[in-house]
């Protein structure tokens, strides 16, 4: 059997050459793509998420680990047959209108992808109407909104109102986050959840997607 534990450890250590070597070895030995992803690459990234949550790992290390995981994924992805790796849910993600901060939002997206979720990232400065259009087009389980400014966090409320007006609110769960955003604020604007960091956002999105 392939050495999935060493592969997971190579992701945790952000060791790209070792991730590539062990992923290729697992493929050559005939391991299933789903096992390489779940028992090796994602298992490693899950540990990274837990350490980040506890403050034992920092943003640059998480970004490097995510890169190592993605490099490994690029070997396995072409081998995946549809249905091999069930999706843990689909998320529309964006930084709200007027706000250009995307480092945290990108980290949230990486964590969600590493947790097996499909992420449609709309980028930064995303107006409510664009979120509504994306909900109609992609039919996601969860909408994730990020804001870093005390002024732009108010656009989260506008976004929820537009989704309500367009009859889309009940089709999705909405989660919010970013430095100035709190659980109280999330409750006040009628969001379904708030997460303080990227790893918690992934856990929350998976829980709300219920897959
Ligand atoms: Co800006 N900026 N910035 N900035 N910036 C802050 C946010 C600020 C606190 C700095 C300060 O004054 N101390 C301040 C906001 C003050 C306020 O509103 N109360 C500020 C300001 C004022 C501004 C400008 C207005 C400055 C100016 O031009 N006068 C301007 C606004 C531009 C705009 O958006 N329209 C501006 C511009 C910029 C840069 C472009 C230079 C750059 C952004 C680059 C980029 O993102 N590509 C920038 C940066 C880097 C910062 C700081 C220094 C760092 C933000 C960051 O990336 N943190 C920031 C000060 C600070 O936070 N120390 C600051 C790291 C990141 C990993 O954390 O984004 O919090 P964070 O994400 C976390 C969690 O919040 C959570 O998970 C992430 C990972 O754990 N999270 C979610 C985030 N989104 C989530 C979504 C979820 C769940 C969790 O669910 C969907």
């Amino acid at each position: 059997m392939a050495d999935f534990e060493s592969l997971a450890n190579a992701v945790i250590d952000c060791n790209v050459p070792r991730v590539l070597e062990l992923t290729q070895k697992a493929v050559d030995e005939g391991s299933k793509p789903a096992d390489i992803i779940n028992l090796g690459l994602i298992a490693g990234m899950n540990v990274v998420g837990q350490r980040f949550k506890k403050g034992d790992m920092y943003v640059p290390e998480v970004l490097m680990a995510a890169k190592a995981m993605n490099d490994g994924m690029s070997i396995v992805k072409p081998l995946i047959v549809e249905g091999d790796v069930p999706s843990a849910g689909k998320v529309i993600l964006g930084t709200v209108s007027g706000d250009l901060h995307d480092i945290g939002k990108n980290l949230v997206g990486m964590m969600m992808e590493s947790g097996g979720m499909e992420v449609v990232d709309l980028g930064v400065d995303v107006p409510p109407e664009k979120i509504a259009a994306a909900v109609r087009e992609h039919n996601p389980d969860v909408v994730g909104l990020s804001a870093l400014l005390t002024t732009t966090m108010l656009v989260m409320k506008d976004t929820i109102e537009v989704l309500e007006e367009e009859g889309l609110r009940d089709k999705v769960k909405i989660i919010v986050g970013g430095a100035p955003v709190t659980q109280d604020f999330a409750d006040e604007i009628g969001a379904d959840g708030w997460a303080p960091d990227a790893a918690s956002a992934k856990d929350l999105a998976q829980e709300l997607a219920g897959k």
Side-chain angles (χ1 to χ4, degrees):
M1 189 169 127
D3 188 357
F4 295 124
E5 197 181 333
S6 295
L7 178 55
N9 284 332
V11 172
I12 298 165
D13 294 341
C14 316
N15 187 338
V16 173
R18 183 98 175 117
V19 167
L20 294 175
E21 178 201 329
L22 290 173
T23 304
Q24 190 59 57
K25 192 159 171 264
V27 169
D28 294 344
E29 286 170 7
S31 297
K32 286 193 209 141
D35 287 346
I36 301 173
I37 293 171
N38 292 326
L39 305 177
L41 298 167
I42 288 183
M45 205 56 203
N46 279 340
V47 173
V48 172
Q50 287 153 13
R51 290 188 185 173
F52 177 62
K53 233 178 181 175
K54 282 198 273 172
D56 294 338
M57 269 177 105
Y58 299 102
V59 172
E61 294 166 286
V62 176
L63 294 174
M64 284 193 293
K67 182 184 178 330
M69 181 198 72
N70 280 325
D71 286 357
M73 284 283 191
S74 65
I75 296 179
V76 189
K77 264 190 184 156
L79 309 173
I80 298 173
V81 179
E82 207 173 322
D84 259 2
V85 184
S87 165
K90 193 188 274 186
V91 185
I92 299 270
L93 197 60
T95 301
V96 296
S97 205
D99 200 320
L100 302 176
H101 296 85
D102 68 354
I103 298 170
K105 183 263 298 165
N106 293 345
L107 218 48
V108 169
M110 277 178 203
M111 281 292 175
M112 287 176 172
E113 279 183 348
S114 76
M117 303 193 87
E118 277 175 79
V119 176
V120 179
D121 188 341
L122 302 179
V124 297
D125 194 14
V126 186
E129 294 72 20
K130 193 168 171 190
I131 302 272
V135 168
R136 241 180 268 110
E137 183 185 346
H138 298 284
N139 195 23
D141 302 288
V142 177
V143 169
L145 303 174
S146 180
L148 262 284
L149 301 173
T150 43
T151 45
T152 57
M153 61 193 268
L154 303 174
V155 180
M156 292 173 158
K157 185 168 187 279
D158 301 342
T159 305
I160 294 177
E161 282 170 5
V162 168
L163 290 173
E164 272 164 6
E165 282 160 22
E166 300 205 13
L168 299 166
R169 175 65 185 96
D170 296 337
K171 296 188 194 308
V172 289
K173 300 290 183 191
I174 299 173
I175 67 172
V176 293
V181 182
T182 60
Q183 180 66 62
D184 282 350
F185 179 74
D187 294 341
E188 199 183 304
I189 64 172
D192 297 297
W194 163 82
D197 56 60
S200 309
K202 177 205 75 172
D203 293 344
L204 180 62
Q206 285 181 332
E207 187 192 320
L208 290 173
K211 298 200 168 155

